[in-house]
Amino acid sequence: MTKRVVVAGASGFIGRRLVDAYRAEGATVSTIGRSGADAVWGDHEAIVRLLDGADLLVNLAGRSVNCRYNARNRAVILRSRIDTTRELADAVRSAEAPPRLWVNSSTATIYRHADDGPMTESTGEIGSGFSVDVATAWEREFFDGELPSTRRVALRIAIVLGNGSVMPPLIRLARFGLGGPQLDGRWFATRARRRAGTFHEYRATHGRQRFSWIHIDDVVGVIRFVEANEHIEGVVNASSPNPSDSASLMATIRRLLGVPFGFPAFRWMLELGSIAIRTETELVLKSRWVVPERLTAEGYRFEQPDLEPAIAQILSLAKGSRTR
């Protein structure tokens, strides 16, 4: 019997790769999204029809956090995760034959700024601030209520590396000679930003803030692994077992590109640049030190466990894309 997979939020970087991977192996893949999908958000009956009899539901829906955290964007970021997860839960409960497994995206940002030790599922400490509040509310909504026929797994996904997403801007920075370490420093904070939890507090990491990552092929691999191991449920860290740090990341990119030097980026430069390109410094200054304790214990073998070979593969793919 042909496997049936439903992917919500399939238009994003991970979603497109996941849809292609499952279709390549012969699965029937249906999508849920705002437009151009097999079912659109708000059409309860159509979503129920897709989920009824499906083997796997993967929810990747949610507004990108790569934006300024003003009041409007904060509301959209939160609502786009909570409302879609709640809508899917209602549809799963309405299905006569609900999906056996529901994998919901979460984020490794749920853990605190960590430069003193790795965060695991069993010992990791939940952080504070807007991004963490979104992550905890998202997981709370996902695990709320009973779904007796559906196993639930929340993937706390680290920064995803692949031919797209965060890599093109990092490559451009390196090529332009700006691929040095991102250095934290003191910066003024308004009361509003402190209240909203959007201000990044200074820590003297000297550009060595930890960088937890996962190759996009392993995101797909982890979902397949969770599907095959029916005893796995709850939260799972989806991150490479070999996290790096910001300075080493940029040095690796420069080395593979043949760029001999990269100027460092100081906090004031990052703050002004973030305003200009409409993003937040937290995305590069927070130290994310996350390791996949559960996946390692269960025997998952990463396709790309090490940073330099992973980036080399991505650069090769990017070069191939440009020459076609």
Side-chain angles (χ1 to χ4, degrees):
M1 183 178 295
T2 303
K3 180 190 295 184
R4 287 186 53 209
V5 178
V6 179
V7 180
S11 61
F13 179 59
I14 300 174
R16 294 193 302 271
R17 176 70 179 84
L18 189 65
V19 169
D20 289 345
Y22 272 109
R23 284 178 175 163
E25 67 180 37
T28 299
V29 182
S30 303
T31 60
I32 303 169
R34 290 190 299 273
S35 62
D38 297 296
V40 297
W41 297 114
D43 190 340
H44 177 76
E45 296 304 321
I47 295 174
V48 171
R49 284 195 295 272
L50 289 187
L51 296 183
D52 205 351
D55 298 288
L56 170 65
L57 165 63
V58 180
N59 179 29
L60 303 166
R63 159 71 185 270
S64 171
V65 297
N66 186 18
C67 62
R68 292 297 288 177
Y69 292 163
N70 57 40
R72 180 182 178 278
N73 285 343
R74 293 198 306 273
V76 173
I77 287 170
L78 179 62
R79 187 172 63 248
S80 66
R81 287 158 173 76
I82 301 301
D83 290 356
T84 52
T85 301
R86 182 178 299 146
E87 188 170 348
L88 289 173
D90 290 341
V92 169
R93 292 188 181 96
S94 298
E96 290 186 14
R100 294 195 296 271
L101 171 63
W102 177 2
V103 175
N104 211 69
S105 179
S106 182
T107 172
T109 298
I110 197 169
Y111 297 110
R112 65 170 173 84
H113 177 102
D115 53 13
D116 56 345
M119 302 288 107
T120 71
E121 297 94 336
S122 63
T123 64
E125 300 172 37
I126 304 303
S128 61
F130 167 69
S131 297
V132 173
D133 291 344
V134 170
T136 54
W138 197 7
E139 289 189 5
R140 186 166 55 247
E141 185 66 41
F142 176 54
F143 289 115
D144 184 52
E146 296 295 325
L147 295 177
S149 300
T150 301
R151 178 167 54 104
R152 285 175 283 188
V153 175
L155 290 186
R156 292 177 174 172
I157 304 175
I159 294 172
V160 179
L161 301 184
N163 187 19
S165 188
V166 302
M167 282 303 298
L170 293 178
I171 292 169
R172 285 196 295 271
L173 284 174
R175 289 191 188 280
F176 293 154
L178 300 175
Q182 289 112 15
L183 301 174
D184 207 343
R186 302 194 183 279
W187 191 252
F188 64 90
T190 64
R191 290 181 180 177
R193 282 178 68 81
R194 286 195 185 280
R195 283 198 304 269
T198 60
F199 178 71
H200 171 77
E201 298 291 348
Y202 164 66
R203 285 100 165 180
T205 56
H206 307 292
R208 294 291 178 181
Q209 57 268 29
R210 304 295 295 191
F211 178 79
S212 288
W213 61 278
I214 185 170
H215 192 282
I216 192 165
D217 288 349
D218 277 309
V219 177
V220 176
V222 167
I223 292 172
R224 285 175 167 150
F225 185 79
V226 166
E227 185 182 6
N229 290 270
E230 298 182 358
H231 61 283
I232 297 177
E233 58 185 348
V235 298
V236 172
N237 287 349
S239 60
S240 163
N242 300 307
S244 184
D245 60 60
S246 177
S248 298
L249 166 70
M250 298 310 300
T252 299
I253 294 173
R254 293 198 316 269
R255 183 166 59 254
L256 291 172
L257 289 174
V259 177
F261 183 79
F263 287 100
F266 296 94
R267 174 76 181 265
W268 67 269
M269 299 167 64
L270 293 169
E271 290 289 349
L272 296 178
S274 294
I275 293 171
I277 65 174
R278 311 306 297 164
T279 188
E280 291 286 345
T281 56
E282 176 199 54
L283 299 177
V284 295
L285 291 178
K286 180 175 179 179
S287 186
R288 297 170 174 85
W289 192 348
V290 181
V291 295
E293 179 184 60
R294 293 192 67 189
L295 289 174
T296 300
E298 294 289 347
Y300 176 72
R301 297 186 64 178
F302 283 81
E303 294 186 41
Q304 294 286 352
D306 299 307
L307 185 64
E308 185 159 341
I311 292 178
Q313 185 249 20
I314 293 164
L315 292 176
S316 176
L317 290 174
K319 183 178 180 181
S321 299
R322 291 196 303 272
T323 57
R324 283 200 296 268

